[in-house]
Amino acid sequence: MTDNNKYTDSGIAIKKVYGPDDLPAHCSQLPFEMPGEFPFTRGVQADMYRGKSWTMRQYAGFSTAEESNKRYHYLLSQGVTGLSVAFDLPTQIGYDSDHSLSEGEVGKVGVAIDSLEDMELLFNGIDLEKVSTSMTINATGFILLAFYVALAKKQGANLQHISGTIQNDILKEYAARGTYIYPPYPSMRIITDVFEWCSSELPRWNTISISGYHIREAGSTAVQEVAFTLANGKAYVQAAQAKGLDINVFGKRLSFFFNAHNNLFEEVAKFRAARRMWARIMQSLGATDQKAMMLRFHTQTGGATLTAQQPLNNISRVTIQTLAAVMGGTQSLHTNGYDEALSLPTEEAARIALRTQQIVAHESGVADTADPLAGSYFVEALTQEVEQKAQEIIDAIDAMGGSVAAIEQGYMQDAISKSAYQYQRKIESGEKIIVGMNQFTSDKETPIPGFKIDDAIRDLQTEKLNKLRAIRDAAIAAECIQLIKTAARVGTNLMPPVIFAVENKCTLGEIADALREIFGEYQG
């Protein structure tokens, strides 16, 4: 690369100026594609935000269920329209708070949930029929869904009306994040069990949020984020079809989760390309219902883009990323707090992040028309380039036998590591300017108050667990665990026995351990 050339973060060369000759062939053909029409490049709804604004979420969860519940009530009072739950590391990898491996991690990066009692405290005073809840949880996602369903039943809710999303995307854990428990094939079986059970019992629930977010956070490019995410999505669809599920039914409950970074136009092009590619992938796999071909997605602004240096600059970064997500047609959005390179967000930072979404929605005008950048010579050409480069990667993954095989061979992991290394080298050399970090620095930094979690949280959770185990019927709890093991061995759907277990006061760790006995643990 020479100093006179410009490239996106994915290495796509940018011309000095674009004109009609740069438009892809389909853009010069009439009639021009409209929003809400296959292949949905311009959006999944004809009127987009004129009909309904995106769901404004704020990802929150820390300490105990009681403390997180206070933050949820605060966010709802400030105009949040959907909750998004962060879980602590022990919850994510299937250990109760009193397990020896949980020490030092309880309540730190999310809320600690050990039992149905914790879930009741987490949503105290919140009607599950009236709120959409997203839960960022993967290896133990099916257990957290069981807690949520059991709580809804205790509230007297109609499960047909419960809405929300569970991330439930294990493939990206092997490729980029690491909070897996079981080997890939048993994990895929659990995921398709969730698809199957929800299709009849929880029809408004999004059964998976196929995540590019963590792939990007691990260091991938925008093109790799699209390619790896859609390849993983394809693997989930094929696994569900192998189980005999109808693509036109479960396909409507698939959702995606993408990152939004600072390169505004590349990010918009990424979202547009992803929609078009997914529609064609689903069509090629046999979908005939257009709603099953629609790529619906949640976006979170880029955590890896935030700097600890001059952290107030992060408000500007998050604003650019919010614009990219909205102009790219997101259905749901979380905006990061400016202080998240230093700690969990303070209440003030969370409020400013939410206000950023509200200002974009109500003051900027970018939500007034669907796909406002459509027809731009630059954006249309860039959308085409992102699609072409992403398709080349998907073709390579298909040639290996699909995502599971590509992960087992280390292909995705190696590609992400190389991209992360190259990006970091550019920052260190100054080729990539990060304002306030490698250029435009300041010798004087204003201290930002951090958000601290008390280490005594583990003691509180341990006390609750001891009380729970003392009052429950131990024989019934043991029988519940045996029912889960039996279902795992014989191949029947795991969701009914897991729900029965949590209703009878079995803990998350006990259920996860029961399946460790049957499936084993993935060693990576």
Side-chain angles (χ1 to χ4, degrees):
M1 297 183 186
T2 66
D3 292 339
N4 293 326
N5 292 331
K6 292 287 185 181
Y7 297 83
T8 71
D9 290 337
S10 294
I12 297 172
I14 303 299
K15 294 183 176 184
K16 291 181 181 178
V17 66
Y18 286 77
D21 291 343
D22 296 299
L23 285 175
H26 71 271
C27 292
S28 60
Q29 298 168 353
L30 294 177
F32 191 67
E33 180 192 326
M34 297 298 290
E37 295 179 359
F38 181 89
F40 312 110
T41 311
R42 303 194 60 198
V44 296
Q45 300 294 337
D47 56 359
M48 280 307 291
Y49 306 127
R50 291 281 284 269
K52 179 184 178 183
S53 180
W54 65 90
T55 301
M56 296 185 189
R57 299 189 186 275
Q58 284 305 113
Y59 186 49
F62 53 87
S63 184
T64 62
E66 296 93 328
E67 289 301 311
S68 293
N69 176 262
K70 292 175 186 177
R71 177 66 66 89
Y72 295 158
H73 279 286
Y74 171 75
L75 291 170
L76 288 167
S77 76
Q78 296 299 304
V80 155
T81 54
L83 296 176
S84 186
V85 185
F87 298 96
D88 72 356
L89 190 58
T91 302
Q92 292 180 49
I93 56 177
Y95 294 118
D96 288 332
S97 297
D98 60 354
H99 194 283
S100 60
L101 292 178
S102 298
E103 188 170 357
E105 292 293 342
V106 177
K108 291 294 177 70
V109 298
V111 62
I113 299 293
D114 294 317
S115 67
L116 179 56
E117 177 189 45
D118 285 332
M119 191 64 94
E120 291 182 72
L121 293 169
L122 185 66
F123 289 99
N124 183 39
I126 298 171
D127 187 339
L128 299 192
E129 275 200 50
K130 295 181 179 178
V131 67
S132 170
T133 302
S134 172
M135 295 191 284
T136 303
I137 194 77
N138 297 284
T140 55
F142 66 106
I143 306 174
L144 271 299
L145 179 59
F147 285 145
Y148 197 84
V149 168
L151 175 57
K153 290 166 68 176
K154 288 191 76 169
Q155 287 187 355
N158 184 340
L159 295 187
Q160 301 291 308
H161 299 163
I162 296 297
S163 66
T165 303
I166 193 164
Q167 192 161 103
N168 201 31
D169 173 9
I170 202 64
L171 291 179
K172 65 91 172 53
E173 297 295 327
Y174 303 117
R177 192 162 175 265
T179 60
Y180 45 73
I181 303 174
Y182 315 112
Y185 287 102
S187 295
M188 293 290 280
R189 175 263 174 96
I190 293 171
I191 288 167
T192 55
D193 278 0
V194 172
F195 289 0
E196 182 179 51
W197 187 83
C198 288
S199 65
S200 60
E201 304 297 327
L202 214 64
R204 293 183 60 192
W205 192 266
N206 296 323
T207 51
I208 193 168
S209 179
I210 305 159
S211 176
Y213 182 84
H214 303 97
I215 291 169
R216 192 71 177 279
E217 289 291 286
S220 82
T221 66
V223 166
Q224 288 171 332
E225 180 188 357
V226 171
F228 294 158
T229 305
L230 298 191
N232 288 347
K234 190 174 179 180
Y236 291 126
V237 171
Q238 290 170 327
Q241 288 178 306
K243 199 180 182 77
L245 303 183
D246 185 346
I247 191 172
N248 287 317
V249 175
F250 73 80
K252 296 175 186 177
R253 303 319 312 168
L254 304 177
S255 66
F256 288 79
F257 175 24
F258 288 114
N259 211 312
H261 273 221
N262 294 327
N263 193 315
L264 178 68
F265 295 107
E266 182 175 43
E267 294 300 295
V268 172
K270 177 188 77 179
F271 298 132
R272 298 174 89 247
R275 264 194 303 270
R276 185 158 75 207
M277 294 175 73
W278 184 246
R280 290 172 177 161
I281 286 170
M282 289 296 277
Q283 187 181 58
S284 72
L285 292 172
T288 55
D289 188 324
Q290 290 212 349
K291 288 187 177 180
M293 304 178 199
M294 293 179 178
L295 184 148
R296 297 167 298 113
F297 67 98
H298 170 70
T299 309
Q300 181 173 339
T301 55
T305 69
L306 304 181
T307 63
Q309 301 87 349
Q310 300 179 27
L312 290 175
N313 293 344
N314 294 328
I315 297 173
S316 298
R317 293 185 176 100
V318 169
T319 303
I320 292 169
Q321 294 161 12
T322 300
L323 287 168
V326 172
M327 289 194 285
T330 194
Q331 277 63 65
S332 171
L333 179 62
H334 162 82
T335 35
N336 289 331
Y338 67 84
D339 55 357
E340 289 190 57
L342 301 167
S343 69
L344 289 169
T346 60
E347 196 169 276
E348 178 197 45
R351 183 177 65 251
I352 290 171
L354 175 60
R355 293 290 182 260
T356 300
Q357 291 197 52
Q358 293 165 335
I359 289 167
V360 169
H362 301 293
E363 297 184 29
S364 73
V366 299
D368 291 347
T369 188
D371 194 22
L373 294 180
S376 156
Y377 302 138
F378 179 36
V379 171
E380 295 293 355
L382 197 51
T383 299
Q384 184 80 356
E385 288 219 53
V386 169
E387 179 179 3
Q388 288 175 347
K389 290 183 179 296
Q391 189 60 54
E392 289 171 6
I393 296 173
I394 292 174
D395 290 344
I397 292 170
D398 286 344
M400 295 176 203
S403 280
V404 175
I407 289 166
E408 289 181 335
Q409 294 173 41
Y411 170 76
M412 290 188 188
Q413 300 92 310
D414 289 347
I416 293 167
S417 295
K418 287 175 183 175
S419 294
Y421 174 71
Q422 291 166 359
Y423 189 77
Q424 186 60 34
R425 284 196 65 181
K426 290 176 185 177
I427 292 173
E428 292 176 3
S429 70
E431 181 182 346
K432 177 71 178 178
I433 296 173
I434 306 295
V435 173
M437 186 165 72
N438 64 358
Q439 283 206 35
F440 314 110
T441 58
S442 174
D443 293 332
K444 187 177 180 180
E445 292 279 353
T446 303
I448 299 291
F451 190 89
K452 303 295 183 184
I453 300 296
D454 191 341
D455 283 329
I457 299 303
R458 184 169 185 252
D459 295 333
L460 294 173
Q461 288 298 113
T462 298
E463 184 180 348
K464 284 196 288 186
L465 282 164
N466 289 336
K467 288 180 179 178
L468 177 76
R469 292 176 182 132
I471 64 169
R472 72 184 182 185
D473 187 317
I476 291 178
E479 181 184 344
C480 289
I481 295 300
Q482 287 304 317
L483 289 172
I484 291 170
K485 291 180 181 179
T486 298
R489 286 192 189 100
V490 304
T492 55
N493 195 294
L494 284 164
M495 286 304 297
V498 171
I499 293 169
F500 185 62
V502 302
E503 289 176 329
N504 283 284
K505 298 183 171 56
C506 291
T507 69
L508 174 136
E510 290 166 346
I511 294 167
D513 282 347
L515 294 178
R516 280 185 175 96
E517 285 186 33
I518 308 302
F519 297 147
E521 289 190 82
Y522 184 65
Q523 300 302 317

